[in-house]
Amino acid sequence: MCGIIGINSNKPVATTIINSLKKLEYRGYDSAGIATLYNGLINEVKSEGRVENLEKNSIAQNMEGTIGIGHVRWATHGLPNSINAHPHSSQNVSVVHNGIIENSTILKKFLIGKGHVFKSQTDTEVIAHLITENLKTENIINSIKKTLKSLHGSFALGIVFKDHPDFIVGARRGSPLAVGYGPNENYLGSDSYALKSMTNKITYLNDGEFCVIKRNNVDFFSEEGTRINKKVLVLSSTEEKYDKGDYKHFMAKEIEEQPITISNGINEYIDMSNRDINIYNFPWKKKEISSITLIGCGTAYHSCLMAKYWFEKLTNLDVNIDIASEFRYRKNRFKQDNLYIFVSQSGETADTYAALDLCKNNNVKTCAVVNVVESSIARDSNFVLPIHCGVEIGVASTKAFLGQILILYILALKFALWRKEIEKKDFDKKLSELKTLPKLLEKTLLVDNKIQTIADTFNEAKGSMFLGRGFSYPIALEGALKLKELSYIHAEGYPAGEMKHGPLALIEEGMPVVVLAPRDSYYKKTISNMQEVIARGAKVLLITNKSKDEVISENIWKKIEVESTNEDLLPFLLTIPLQKLAYYSALKKGYDIDKPRNLAKSVTVE
Ligand code: F6R
């Protein structure tokens, strides 16, 4: 999704801004742009498509100026072209913006009435003109304050002023924004990751705050325009190196590194010498929690659903799950003895953050399960459980999904132990089995060749279905999501038992259907459902686990066997062939695997 960079330095900034924009490419975007102040002018260059196109532009290559802002845009208002790309400038103000201005139509009408002329179809352009309008009567601080007050919706802003070439203004409401500090230069960024190559000293803006970034100091202001002091955080490392290595795509690498990331997660939380789970400084007593609500979006929501099955099996807690975009607008009954768990790779997803904010305002217990520990969701939750996966670049989440479900499984086990709902010997056994998971994943990853040929059939089909029961149902949803987002093939995930209630009508001769039927407590029921779809002409790809017992069913089109382990852990292994199916299917179609169309890695608008 959109990303912002701003640099105020004593040397030319254009190249550094463009290089930093490349760090934001992983978020997903469709155009890019930069503006610097030089010789009393705003110089602006924008291009459709990749940052590479901006970099190749000869004007951008020769851009002067020691102060500037840059942006990668993911279209919300107006087509993804160079005119709508940011920055957007009036005669004296240039703005980059993440978020959505909900009252832009009304503001635009008002500004046109005042004689302002608009070039783009975006909501952002109104911000530049509104500041210009306010500057006619107010000083800089007051014009910013007044402008921010008039804006409805969410924003993170970077603003430069033609007549004040010594500072950048940053402002935040809803969308994250960070300030970074360097030697004789300071920075603005939509996340700390974008700034990491330049600094590890960061201050995060809170909602409503704005700042004035000069070369040698930064002033922070509250919504009311009062000066405030903010903490400078020193992040763990200046830059985490992450590249594709020998892989063609980040996604391929991220799939293959899952044994390592899962092993990291296990090592962080499991203490085998004491046969215990280390969750330090958990802020609540066990009696204070009698139910749990898990909230997330997309793949993270599937992790929540997965967790529900484990929590309900291992504990007596009541467990609810919710899609963040639904939770945030429903009339919820907030309960003091409920733990609200927010699951998010990026920790910046707008809907998930809004759901967290709602919980915070209702003073209930909040916990974040995140990958990015410096993220807004992590910072604003009462307690954080990091998933320790390292940077995930592929827009389609793979290793973060397994990382999320690992931590949620570990948490379910810990609750079961705390609440004495699992016998210690069973708990110990489950820990030992969990320890073997990285090796089992490694072996399961060898299914490669088989999947490559299977992918062709999916690519030729009009649509496909993914079926599973119990522990496999969330994985069926996740498999279908991966295939549709990467290969643009219609794919639906369903609980296998629901087929007769409608979806069976979709099955026709030759339709590929993935059936997840590991040898768990649901096995026999799922096999019956599989036979029903085979009888109606489906081409079934059965994914089960290795067993000495043959699968008793005729006419299975293809079968993939993952390694065997206890039924709690089979969902991890079943996920692997589904990730690979989506990957190879998109590879064969020649699609942009790491950046699927219309999607973004960090969904910072609702
Ligand atoms: C799908 C995918 C998305 C994300 C969703 C939430 O592969 O990655 O569905 O899971 O946008 O993102 P996070 O986890 O960053 O909150």
Side-chain angles (χ1 to χ4, degrees), residues 3 163 166 208 243 355 461 469 483:
D163 305 322
D166 54 337
D243 56 36
R469 275 177 179 259
L483 189 67

Side-chain angles (χ1 to χ4, degrees), residues 25 29-34 45-57 71-75 78-87 121:
E25 284 190 300
Y29 68 102
D30 40 55
S31 54
I34 177 170
V45 187
K46 311 199 257 191
S47 63
E48 201 176 315
R50 292 286 141 86
V51 176
E52 211 186 319
N53 300 345
L54 184 70
E55 196 175 22
K56 283 183 191 150
N57 184 309
H71 192 260
V72 283
R73 170 177 188 251
W74 186 84
L79 295 172
N81 57 27
S82 59
I83 297 173
N84 289 330
H86 300 207
Q121 301 161 305

Side-chain angles (χ1 to χ4, degrees), residues 8 295 399 523 561:
N8 188 356
I295 299 165
K399 62 176 181 173
Y523 177 64
E561 289 177 322

